[in-house]
Amino acid sequence: MNFEFSSDQMLLRDQARKFLENEESVKKAREVLEGDQTHDESLWRSVVEMGWTATTIPEEFDGLGLGYLELCVIAEELGRSLAPTPFSSSVYLATEALINQGSKEQHQKYLPKLAAGEIVGTLAHTETTNSPSPENLNCELSNNKLNGIKIAVTDGDVANFAVVSAKEGDKVVLGLVDLASKGVEITSQNTLDPSRSHASIKFKDADAEILGSSQDGWVALQEILDHAAVLFAFEQLGGAEACMDMAKEYAMGRFAFGRPIASFQAIKHKIADMYIAVELARSNCYFGAWALSTNAPELATAAATARVSASKAFHECSKENIQTHGGMGFTWEFDCHLYYRRCRQLAANIGSQAVWKNKLISSLERANQI
Amino acid sequence: MDFNDTPEETKFRKEASDWLSANAKLKDDEEAGNYPGMGEDDALTLAKKWAAKLYDSGWACLHWPKEYGGRGSTPIERVIWGQEASKYRIPGGFFEIGQGMAGPVLMMYANEEQKKRYLPPMAKGEEVWCQLFSEPGAGSDLAGLKTKSVLEGDTWTINGQKIWTSGAHYSDYGILVTRSDSSAQKHKGLTYFFLDMKSPGVEVRPIKQISGGANFNEVYFTDVKIPDEQRLGSVGDGWKVALTTLMNERLAVGDASGPDFQEAFNLACSHDLNGDLAIKDGSVRDKLADWYCQSSGLKYTKYRNISALSRGETPGPQASITKIVSGNKLQEIANFGMDIMDAAGIVRPESADAEQTMYQMGFFGAAGIRIAGGTDEILRNIISEQVLGLPQDMRADKGIPFNEIPSSNKK
Ligand SMILES: Cc1cc2nc3c(=O)[nH]c(=O)nc-3n(C[C@H](O)[C@H](O)[C@H](O)COP(=O)(O)OP(=O)(O)OC[C@H]3O[C@@H](n4cnc5c(N)ncnc54)[C@H](O)[C@@H]3O)c2cc1C
Ligand SMILES: Cc1cc2nc3c(=O)[nH]c(=O)nc-3n(C[C@H](O)[C@H](O)[C@H](O)COP(=O)(O)OP(=O)(O)OC[C@H]3O[C@@H](n4cnc5c(N)ncnc54)[C@H](O)[C@@H]3O)c2cc1C
C-alpha cells in the first residue's frame, strides 16, 4: 500500500507553496477584496505560465496530460493562499466538464485555449435562493437558444464561456454559451467574499450548443460536480490548515495573565480539535484523490465524503481561528476574516453541506442496493 | 497513490486469508454465533482456545521474534493480518494488555531467561496479564501514584492500592508501577516491576461498573514480596518504563469496538420513523453522513500511517485521534440506535443477539472508552503538546519533592 502522494507530487506541492508565498497571494486576495478588480491578473498570468491550467488536459490538446493527483496538490496550495484567480471555475468546473462530457469538436475548440489560459470558463447553475433541482430549474434551452437568469456565478464577469444548466422540455441539458455573444447580459454581484468575483447572467435568446452527447444533463452535471468536489475539497483543506497554523502562531505569541494564551487548555484543546478535523479531512481528500485519479466506482461516495469533511474542517478552523485571535480576529486588518469569507464562498459554490450529505447517503444507498 | 500489495504482500495476504478461512467463520456468516451475551468464563475459555490455535499455527503475536513465540513479521504483514482477521468473528478481549503492553516492555527490559519464560505463554494466551498502574489518587496524573516499594536485601516489599485494574481477577501476572522514594521529585522516585498475581498479600476485589458487569477491580497489596530480578528498568527509572508502556497502549488501542456507520445505516434502512423508513428522514441522513465521514477519515488516516510505516517511519502520537473520534462516535451511534428503536430501545432484551444489544453495550462501553487509556482531555493535551508543539500546562507539582505536592486529601 502506498496511500501517499509520490515524491514528485510532494515536490510539486512544495514548489506551488513557495511560488504562491513569493507571489504574496494572500496579500493579493486582500487587494482584490478591497479594490474593484475581479481577480489578480498578474497572479493569474503567473499561474498560467506555471502550466497549472493545463495540468489534466491531454497532450493532444496542448495540455500536460498529468493526472488528477498533481491537480489536487496544486488545489491545496491555492486554497491555503486564497489565490484570487478564476482557477477553480475554469479548471475544476469548465475544463473538467469539457474533458469528461464534451464532444470531439468541443475538445478541439476549447481545451487548447483553456490549457494556454487564453480563455476562462465557468459553471452557471444557481437561479434563486432555492437549491437547484431538475424540477425548479427555470432557464430554458430550445433550438440552441437559451433564455433565463443565473445568479451567483463565480467568475461570471471574468469568464469567456459558461456551462449552463437548463431545461429542454422536461429534460435537463447542459449548454455551452459564449458569454460575449448577443443576448447575454452580465452584471457583477457583490458577495460575502469579494476576493472572488461573482455575477448574475441574463440570457435572452442567446446562442447555445449542447455540451457533449444528449445524455441526461442532470446526471452529467452530477458527474462534473463529483470531479470538482474533490478538487474544491483540497482547496478547503489547504484553507483549513492555514487557519490552524495561524491560530497556533498567534496563540504562541499572545500573552494574557502572564502566559501565552497557547498554554490555556481552552485554546490548546480548540487547536487540537482543529487538528483532528484537518486530519480527517486530509485522509478523506486523499481517498477522493485516489478515486478521481483511478476513476474508481467509489468516486461519487469518495467525492461527497471529501467535500463534506473538508467543508466541515474549514468551517471549524476558520471560525475558531477568529476566536483564538480575540478582538484582533474581529478586525479588518487581520487576515482571519479573509479565510472566514472564503470558507463560506467555497462551502456555497457547488452546493451546500446538506446537499452533499444527502448525495453521500444516496451514493451509499446505491452501493448497498437500497 | 494506490492500495495495491507488493508481490510479497499479496503472497502473505493469501496465506493469512487461507488460514483464516479454514479456521474461523466470517462475521456475516449466520452460523458464526454470537459472543456478546456469553459469560466471562466461557468467553475466556473460548479466547484461550483460539489463542492456542493461532500460536500452534504460527499466527500469534506476528511482529514478535520467533524465539519468543512470534512470527518475526514486518509491520506491514501485521497490518495485513489485522485487515484479514477483521473480516472474521474472532474471540478476544483478554490478551491485549499482555501482548500489546507487557510483552513489549518485557522485550525491552527483562533478562533473556525471563523473556524465554514469560513471552511464549503470553503469546499463546496461556498466561493472562494485567496492568496495575492507576490508583485512587493517580489516573490521568499517573506519576502521582503512591503504592510503596521498599528494598531489603534483594527483595522488595509492596504496600498500597491499585484501582480500575481490568481483568485482575483472571490474570496470572501483572505489570506494576510503584513509588520507591517519596522524597525524590515526582517523576524520579518510581520503580517498575512485574509480579505473580498469586503472590501472598495480593487481594483482588471486583468493582461493579455502570453496565452492571465487573471487568475491573481494586487490587490491594499488603507486604507483597517481589524479587529484585523482577524489576524492569533501574530503581527510580519507573516513569521511563511506564511511558514506553503507555506509548504501546496508544498503538494497541484501535477503533472503539461496537456499532459503527454500517450498523447504524442498516438499522435506519430497516426501521420506521414518522411513517416512513428512517433512512428517508433528513436528520437521520445528516447524522449518518457525519459518521461516515468520521469512519472513513479514520480508516484512511490509518492507511496513511501504514504507508508511513512501510516507508520505515514510526507513526507518532497522531494515532491519538483514533480513540477520541471513535469513542465519541460510538457514544452517539449507540444513542442513535436506541432512539431509532423508540421506547423499545431501552428494553434489556432476553437474548444476546437482539437488535438492541450492541447499542446498549455501546451506550455503556463508549463512556468507558473515553476514559480508559488516556481520557479525551489528556489525549487533546498530547495532540496539542506533542504533535502541535504548544506549551505544556502550568503545573503545581514541578521541582518539589513528591511528599510536598498538594493532593485530593492534602490541599
Ligand atoms: C465587537 C467588539 C466590541 C468591543 N467593544 C469593547 C468596548 O466597547 N470597550 C472595551 O473596553 N473593549 C471592547 N472590546 C474588547 C473585548 O472586551 C476584548 O476583545 C475581549 O475581552 C478579549 O480580549 P482580547 O481581544 O485582548 O483577546 P485575548 O484576551 O488575547 O484572547 C485571545 C483568545 O484567548 C482566549 N483566552 C484569553 N485568556 C484566557 C484564559 N485565561 N483562559 C482561556 N482562554 C483565554 C480568549 O478567550 C480568546 O479566544 C470589544 C471587542 C469586540 C470584538
Ligand atoms: C473501563 C476502564 C478500564 C480501565 N482499565 C485500567 C487498567 O487495566 N489498568 C489501569 O492501570 N487503569 C485502568 N483504567 C484507569 C484509567 O487509565 C483511568 O481511569 C484514566 O487514566 C483516568 O484517570 P481517573 O479515573 O483517575 O480520572 P481523573 O484523572 O481524576 O480525571 C477526571 C476528569 O478530569 C480530567 N482531567 C484530569 N487531569 C486533567 C488535565 N491535566 N487536564 C484536563 N483534564 C484533566 C479527566 O480528563 C477526567 O475527565 C481503566 C479505566 C476504565 C474506565
Side-chain angles (χ1 to χ4, degrees):
Chain A
M1 167 167 335
N2 178 17
F3 193 56
E4 184 49 273
F5 288 101
S6 70
S7 52
D8 280 353
Q9 287 152 357
M10 288 200 242
L11 191 68
L12 177 63
R13 172 157 59 194
D14 290 348
Q15 283 168 346
R17 187 177 307 187
K18 286 210 189 79
F19 164 77
L20 289 160
E21 274 168 17
N22 287 340
E23 288 278 328
E24 299 189 293
S25 173
V26 177
K27 199 169 145 224
K28 287 177 173 164
R30 175 179 286 276
E31 282 164 11
V32 172
L33 178 97
E34 291 174 346
D36 297 328
Q37 318 99 288
T38 49
H39 64 286
D40 190 285
E41 181 63 20
S42 79
L43 179 61
W44 174 236
R45 283 296 128 217
S46 309
V47 161
V48 169
E49 262 165 51
M50 297 288 284
W52 293 353
T53 47
T55 311
T56 59
I57 295 175
E59 280 166 293
E60 55 172 316
F61 303 114
D62 304 340
L64 297 176
L66 293 171
Y68 284 107
L69 298 179
E70 282 75 13
L71 193 52
C72 287
V73 300
I74 291 170
E76 183 179 340
E77 297 314 315
L78 291 168
R80 190 187 309 280
S81 64
L82 299 175
T85 73
F87 193 85
S88 53
S89 304
S90 198
V91 177
Y92 316 157
L93 289 165
T95 304
E96 284 306 311
L98 280 156
I99 292 179
N100 292 290
Q101 310 287 341
S103 65
K104 267 250 142 54
E105 296 71 42
Q106 288 164 344
H107 284 170
Q108 290 290 6
K109 179 171 161 198
Y110 288 99
L111 292 180
K113 288 185 179 153
L114 281 166
E118 284 166 20
I119 56 169
V120 166
T122 189
L123 171 74
H125 185 39
T126 302
E127 297 182 351
T128 67
T129 50
N130 284 304
S131 169
S133 71
E135 289 72 38
N136 70 14
L137 279 184
N138 279 318
C139 278
E140 271 186 80
L141 200 160
S142 61
N143 301 323
N144 290 331
K145 295 287 179 200
L146 181 68
N147 283 285
I149 299 179
K150 294 287 182 183
I151 64 166
V153 180
T154 314
D155 300 307
D157 47 358
V158 181
N160 304 89
F161 75 96
V163 175
V164 187
S165 57
K167 292 290 263 297
E168 187 172 40
D170 322 328
K171 221 175 82 183
V172 175
V173 291
L174 297 176
L176 273 172
V177 184
D178 180 348
L179 294 180
S181 63
K182 221 173 108 241
V184 178
E185 191 185 318
I186 298 168
T187 313
S188 297
Q189 282 187 308
N190 196 4
T191 69
L192 268 185
D193 181 15
S195 71
R196 301 286 286 106
S197 71
H198 292 79
S200 69
I201 310 180
K202 201 164 157 185
F203 302 98
K204 196 155 179 277
D205 287 329
D207 286 334
E209 60 176 302
I210 303 281
L211 173 70
S213 67
S214 56
Q215 76 148 304
D216 184 339
W218 189 257
V219 172
L221 180 62
Q222 301 315 305
E223 287 171 11
I224 294 167
L225 293 177
D226 286 348
H227 278 232
V230 175
L231 299 161
F232 277 114
F234 271 91
E235 280 210 5
Q236 293 170 302
L237 173 67
E241 200 169 75
C243 290
M244 178 180 83
D245 291 341
M246 279 167 81
K248 199 172 98 177
E249 196 183 319
Y250 185 80
M252 300 281 270
R254 169 72 176 172
F255 276 66
F257 304 96
R259 44 199 270 210
I261 59 167
S263 69
F264 295 119
Q265 271 193 2
I267 296 293
K268 287 168 71 171
H269 290 191
K270 189 189 286 307
I271 300 177
D273 284 337
M274 291 187 196
Y275 173 81
I276 292 171
V278 167
E279 282 305 292
L280 294 177
R282 178 172 295 285
S283 299
N284 284 323
C285 280
Y286 282 24
F287 183 50
W290 170 82
L292 185 57
S293 67
T294 56
N295 197 21
E298 295 93 333
L299 178 59
T301 304
T305 304
R307 167 77 180 174
V308 171
S309 197
S311 296
K312 188 179 158 83
F314 201 5
H315 175 64
E316 190 77 30
C317 293
S318 67
K319 76 186 170 72
E320 296 310 321
N321 181 36
I322 296 181
Q323 184 65 17
T324 304
H325 279 71
M328 287 302 180
F330 198 65
T331 63
W332 188 266
E333 184 191 339
F334 270 61
D335 287 341
C336 304
H337 71 109
L338 304 190
Y339 285 89
Y340 193 53
R341 289 167 187 274
R342 180 61 63 82
C343 170
R344 185 88 289 279
Q345 194 270 337
L346 288 172
N349 64 348
I350 51 166
S352 69
Q353 192 73 333
V355 166
W356 282 95
K357 282 185 174 182
N358 187 52
K359 277 164 78 95
L360 172 56
I361 298 303
S362 300
S363 76
L364 291 164
E365 286 177 307
R366 286 196 299 278
N368 284 269
Q369 288 163 347
I370 302 290
Chain B
M1 193 179 277
D2 65 63
F3 300 110
N4 304 337
D5 289 336
T6 63
E8 298 86 66
E9 288 164 2
T10 310
K11 195 167 147 255
F12 180 84
R13 189 184 294 281
K14 183 165 182 318
E15 219 181 308
S17 95
D18 285 351
W19 189 85
L20 282 161
S21 69
N23 290 281
K25 289 224 163 26
L26 283 170
K27 273 194 175 143
D28 51 13
D29 186 329
E30 303 234 316
E31 285 168 29
N34 213 310
Y35 300 127
M38 193 179 264
E40 189 176 82
D41 291 348
D42 292 343
L44 179 58
T45 308
L46 196 71
K48 283 191 168 188
K49 233 175 96 186
W50 171 253
K53 197 167 180 177
L54 285 177
Y55 182 87
D56 294 337
S57 314
W59 291 105
C61 296
L62 269 74
H63 58 301
W64 289 12
K66 282 193 179 139
E67 70 254 43
Y68 304 136
R71 193 186 177 88
S73 295
T74 64
I76 286 296
E77 287 174 340
R78 189 181 169 204
V79 168
I80 292 174
W81 168 263
Q83 287 173 338
E84 292 305 312
S86 71
K87 299 173 189 162
Y88 292 84
R89 188 167 277 265
I90 284 170
F94 295 93
F95 311 120
E96 286 74 5
I97 291 174
Q99 297 175 355
M101 294 157 73
V105 166
L106 289 179
M107 212 101 65
M108 263 178 98
Y109 292 98
N111 64 37
E112 196 50 40
E113 196 184 323
Q114 291 167 331
K115 291 191 227 180
K116 292 238 163 70
R117 156 64 188 85
Y118 293 103
L119 292 172
M122 189 189 277
K124 193 171 181 180
E126 256 171 16
E127 292 173 352
V128 183
W129 288 62
C130 63
Q131 177 196 17
L132 300 149
F133 280 26
S134 303
E135 295 184 9
S140 301
D141 183 15
L142 177 60
L145 61 88
K146 291 187 181 140
T147 293
K148 208 170 147 187
S149 56
V150 178
L151 178 66
E152 237 188 275
D154 54 8
T155 304
W156 292 84
T157 304
I158 315 292
N159 279 287
Q161 185 201 344
K162 296 289 173 180
I163 196 168
W164 322 129
T165 317
S166 301
H169 54 298
Y170 51 68
S171 288
D172 304 287
Y173 292 90
I175 40 178
L176 170 72
V177 199
T178 63
R179 183 161 305 277
S180 48
D181 181 0
S182 60
S183 62
Q185 285 178 28
K186 187 171 174 176
H187 295 80
K188 303 222 165 113
L190 303 178
T191 300
Y192 194 119
F193 303 95
F194 70 89
L195 86 161
D196 186 338
M197 289 299 283
K198 285 165 209 85
S199 308
V202 175
E203 190 197 341
V204 177
R205 295 186 200 158
I207 306 174
K208 193 166 176 179
Q209 297 170 318
I210 60 173
S211 59
N215 185 254
F216 60 31
N217 305 271
E218 295 177 290
V219 181
Y220 290 85
F221 295 84
T222 315
D223 292 331
V224 174
K225 304 292 179 195
I226 302 182
D228 188 48
E229 62 174 27
Q230 288 180 210
R231 172 169 46 80
L232 298 173
S234 311
V235 175
D237 240 2
W239 182 245
K240 203 174 93 192
V241 188
L243 280 186
T244 316
T245 321
L246 296 179
M247 211 180 67
N248 280 301
E249 179 171 27
R250 223 168 293 128
L251 288 177
V253 292
D255 281 336
S257 69
D260 202 337
F261 168 80
Q262 193 62 45
E263 288 76 19
F265 178 84
N266 293 347
L267 193 73
C269 290
S270 58
H271 284 70
D272 293 340
L273 182 66
N274 297 324
D276 203 341
L277 278 179
I279 190 69
K280 304 287 178 209
D281 181 87
S283 73
V284 167
R285 295 172 85 81
D286 182 83
K287 290 196 185 89
L288 286 172
D290 282 336
W291 296 326
Y292 185 84
C293 288
Q294 289 174 357
S295 288
S296 159
L298 289 180
K299 174 175 169 191
Y300 295 111
T301 299
K302 202 176 298 164
Y303 282 14
R304 284 169 55 212
N305 285 337
I306 296 169
S307 304
L309 210 58
S310 75
R311 286 194 302 271
E313 298 162 19
T314 357
Q318 286 89 330
S320 299
I321 77 170
T322 300
K323 196 170 88 83
I324 297 187
V325 175
S326 67
N328 285 277
K329 169 161 58 65
L330 174 59
Q331 203 160 33
E332 292 307 310
I333 288 179
N335 274 286
F336 167 82
M338 288 188 278
D339 232 14
I340 288 288
M341 291 181 258
D342 212 279
I346 62 166
V347 175
R348 300 310 296 255
E350 300 279 318
S351 108
D353 54 7
E355 51 190 346
Q356 288 100 329
T357 307
M358 71 172 146
Y359 297 99
Q360 296 185 350
M361 287 176 67
F363 176 71
F364 291 119
I369 289 168
R370 292 185 51 205
I371 297 167
T375 65
D376 283 5
E377 291 74 24
I378 293 302
L379 293 179
R380 284 191 169 84
N381 266 6
I382 290 173
I383 291 172
S384 51
E385 293 168 16
Q386 296 178 25
V387 182
L388 300 170
L390 300 179
Q392 287 200 339
D393 288 355
M394 294 284 207
R395 348 192 13 156
D397 59 358
K398 276 237 160 122
I400 44 174
F402 178 72
N403 50 21
E404 291 172 21
I405 295 170
S407 68
S408 298
N409 21 5
K410 186 181 74 183
K411 293 181 185 104

